[in-house]
Amino acid sequence: MWHQRNLIGQISLGGVILGAMRGGHIGYWIDKNYSNRGFTTQAVTALTEYSFSALNLHRIEINIRPENAASRRVAEKAGYIFEGERPRYLHIAGNWRDHVVFVKENPAIK
């Protein structure tokens, strides 16, 4: 993510699976000096739209640490719906960490 000439964060689409599932997951971070200004929500929305229209994916997930209220707000503002909890989901900073998952489905795919 860029703002003017400054690299302010990163967003990625990973774990893309084609076939019966047709999904992936989005991950992101932003420099604290640019947080709470809508940049991450705008990036999540743009990548989601691209994933649905150009890649024809059916489902995108965002997995968030439960204590990360800012990331939860980003997912919700981008139209993602809370789906559930994932205990000990990812190994971060030396320990297996719980996550919550937010999901958005492609409305064009029935």
Side-chain angles (χ1 to χ4, degrees):
M1 292 183 279
W2 294 85
H3 177 64
Q4 298 170 353
R5 294 181 181 208
N6 300 311
L7 175 65
I8 63 169
Q10 178 181 347
I11 186 166
S12 60
L13 174 67
V16 174
I17 300 171
L18 301 178
M21 183 180 178
R22 296 201 62 84
H25 61 263
I26 288 179
Y28 49 83
W29 62 264
I30 191 159
D31 182 306
K32 66 181 177 181
N33 296 314
Y34 293 91
S35 64
N36 297 311
R37 295 171 55 184
F39 293 116
T40 308
T41 302
Q42 187 177 18
V44 168
T45 300
L47 185 53
T48 300
E49 290 174 2
Y50 174 81
S51 300
F52 287 166
S53 63
L55 302 178
N56 200 33
L57 297 183
H58 167 257
R59 172 187 171 94
I60 305 292
E61 295 183 357
I62 300 175
N63 294 288
I64 301 167
R65 301 267 303 269
E67 66 275 13
N68 191 338
S71 280
R72 184 182 291 248
R73 281 192 308 275
V74 166
E76 291 169 343
K77 287 191 293 183
Y80 282 70
I81 305 299
F82 176 77
E83 185 174 69
E85 299 177 1
R86 293 195 166 153
R88 298 174 34 86
Y89 184 63
L90 293 175
H91 196 263
I92 299 172
N95 289 303
W96 289 99
R97 308 291 181 169
D98 296 347
H99 283 69
V100 291
V101 61
F102 286 78
V103 174
K104 190 166 188 177
E105 291 184 6
N106 187 342
I109 298 178
K110 303 294 178 196

